[in-house]
Amino acid sequence: MSSFPGDVRFSVLDRSRTREGEDASHALRETVRLAREVEALGYHRFWVSEHHGVPGVAGSAPTVLAAAVAAATSAVRVGTGGVMLPNHRPLVVAEQFGVLESLFPGRIDMGVGRSVGFTDGVRRALGRDKDDADRFGEQLSELLGWFTGEQTAHPQVHARPAEGLRVPPFVLATGEGAAIAAAAGLPLVVGDLRGRDRLLAAVDAYRTGFRPSRWAAEPYVVVAGTVAVAATEEEARRLLVPEAWAMAYSRTRGVFPPLDAPERIEASAMTEKQRGFYEAGLRGHVHGTEEQVAEALERAVGETGAQEVLVTTSTYDREALSTSYRRLARAVGLAPRPLPQGMRRESRPAGRALPEDPPGRALPEDPPGRALPEGPAHALP
């Protein structure tokens, strides 16, 4: 079915969205379960996100959650999409990723963004304000310097165990952030697929301004967006309903709620303003049958020249979400990974507890050549 170039990668970002009647613990455990499922389907990366004080999102500590995901998997790359750098000290971020890379060598990605807290109250609780995002370029340079040993902001201080390790960095950005990624010579994650003109402008500016670095010799573009796949176009559209309503609710009530069932949303009363936001939230996403989605993604990849697609779908029905990822994997021609011996493919674990000792958790031996290269940049993993 797929005619994608063989080197185009497909990856998943899960935001640990809660559902009505479900607690945060369940949402986080489901993220770990989904990672194992995505790994078996052949996706390249599985990333988790950072949100603070948002009722409908359980993922507030991405490096902690990434550790749980990496421990429960054995082959898929694991990372963050992303750590919001203005919320943290670069030294602490470097230390956290240094620990992750030391525990799971060769599988960790460091995606960082320039957003700050969702509300004024959250920003105050984090000790930050909106202006901190303006220092993103400076913070990014310091962060990378902790890995190379070349940071100058704090002489005589070293990030342990990060210094000397190579953790691939990615910048989540549009506009000014894309220019920062280009100047630093880093891979760019840019979305969403709905705003195609803005997306293309950001990608063009990034490629034009890109300067090779020890991290990447050439521009590397990851386009991100919502993708929903089902047996029919209408079924795929219904998968978009819960997130569209959550966005509309947040825009009119100031609170981002847990996901609710499509039938309850469609039967509920909406104000005219809510209806407008809701309908807008349903438009433009890539959704449909396997054939329709494959065609739409081929067009998006062709227009942007992206080397990778990062899918960020959220919906109420977890089984339907899993089916969407299975259909997408088939539509774009992913090769399933053989599961480690003793690991069963299952839609949902019988109990909520994570396996105490899942197959493949043994730490691999420290591979040679993990120190940062002094010569040309390595190819991106």
Side-chain angles (χ1 to χ4, degrees):
M1 178 185 301
S2 170
S3 59
F4 282 97
D7 57 351
V8 175
R9 294 160 165 170
F10 288 85
S11 301
V12 170
L13 167 66
D14 189 68
R15 293 189 294 139
S16 302
R17 294 285 274 112
T18 58
R19 275 68 171 169
E20 283 291 340
E22 174 185 283
D23 62 18
S25 173
H26 187 73
L28 293 169
R29 292 173 185 276
E30 284 291 327
T31 289
V32 176
R33 181 199 63 80
L34 181 62
R36 296 176 68 176
E37 196 170 88
V38 161
E39 176 180 56
L41 290 171
Y43 287 90
H44 186 61
R45 310 179 202 275
F46 187 90
W47 284 3
V48 296
S49 62
E50 175 182 334
H51 296 273
H52 298 283
V54 181
V57 183
S60 58
T63 53
V64 177
L65 184 53
V69 168
T73 56
S74 59
V76 69
R77 295 193 63 85
V78 177
T80 55
V83 166
M84 296 300 122
L85 197 52
N87 293 338
H88 309 279
R89 299 295 300 179
L91 169 62
V92 175
V93 175
E95 289 172 336
Q96 290 172 345
F97 279 95
V99 170
L100 285 170
E101 175 65 19
S102 297
L103 290 172
F104 309 102
R107 290 181 56 210
I108 300 301
D109 299 322
M110 182 173 64
V112 296
R114 64 190 296 268
S115 296
V116 289
F118 183 65
T119 65
D120 287 339
V122 169
R123 287 190 287 272
R124 286 194 298 270
L126 292 169
R128 300 291 184 265
D129 58 43
K130 289 183 179 180
D131 293 340
D132 284 310
D134 297 335
R135 297 181 52 246
F136 178 67
E138 175 188 336
Q139 294 169 321
L140 180 62
S141 178
E142 181 185 334
L143 173 63
L144 299 179
W146 288 115
F147 287 92
T148 63
E150 297 170 342
Q151 67 82 27
T152 58
H154 304 279
Q156 309 301 315
V157 181
H158 300 271
R160 310 292 188 197
E163 188 171 307
L165 298 185
R166 185 178 184 84
V167 182
F170 296 76
V171 174
L172 284 66
T174 57
E176 181 182 348
I180 292 172
L186 301 181
L188 175 70
V189 183
V190 59
D192 65 32
L193 290 169
R194 293 189 295 174
R196 196 60 58 87
D197 289 343
R198 184 183 179 193
L199 178 92
L200 292 173
V203 169
D204 287 345
Y206 165 71
R207 288 203 174 99
T208 299
F210 185 87
R211 296 189 302 185
S213 71
R214 71 171 68 203
W215 303 98
E218 299 176 348
Y220 188 91
V221 174
V222 183
V223 293
T226 295
V227 179
V229 195
T232 68
E233 185 175 359
E234 180 58 28
E235 288 179 31
R237 184 181 184 276
R238 280 179 63 80
L239 295 180
L240 304 175
V241 166
E243 188 72 17
W245 168 241
M247 292 298 295
Y249 191 93
S250 71
R251 296 288 296 274
T252 55
R253 299 288 186 88
V255 176
F256 200 73
L259 298 173
D260 205 352
E263 56 270 18
R264 288 199 291 268
I265 294 169
E266 292 168 340
S268 65
M270 298 185 194
T271 67
E272 183 177 348
K273 189 174 184 180
Q274 285 175 334
R275 176 67 63 178
F277 285 131
Y278 170 70
E279 294 293 344
L282 290 172
R283 290 195 293 268
H285 296 295
V286 175
H287 72 284
T289 64
E290 293 177 32
E291 292 79 6
Q292 290 172 322
V293 166
E295 180 180 347
L297 289 178
E298 286 173 10
R299 185 164 56 251
V301 168
E303 291 174 354
T304 61
Q307 289 98 328
E308 189 166 341
V309 178
L310 181 68
V311 181
T312 60
T313 309
S314 297
T315 194
Y316 177 80
D317 186 334
R318 293 191 184 279
E319 191 57 43
L321 179 62
S322 294
T323 299
S324 178
Y325 281 127
R326 288 197 295 271
R327 288 182 178 275
L328 176 60
R330 186 164 57 219
V332 300
L334 297 186
R337 286 188 180 92
L339 294 173
Q341 186 176 5
M343 184 183 292
R344 295 185 295 113
R345 187 179 277 111
E346 52 189 358
S347 61
R348 184 147 292 110
R352 288 179 55 190
L354 292 174
E356 293 184 2
D357 189 20
R361 275 189 65 186
L363 298 181
E365 293 183 1
D366 196 359
R370 288 178 58 211
L372 285 163
E374 297 182 0
H378 286 184
L380 193 71

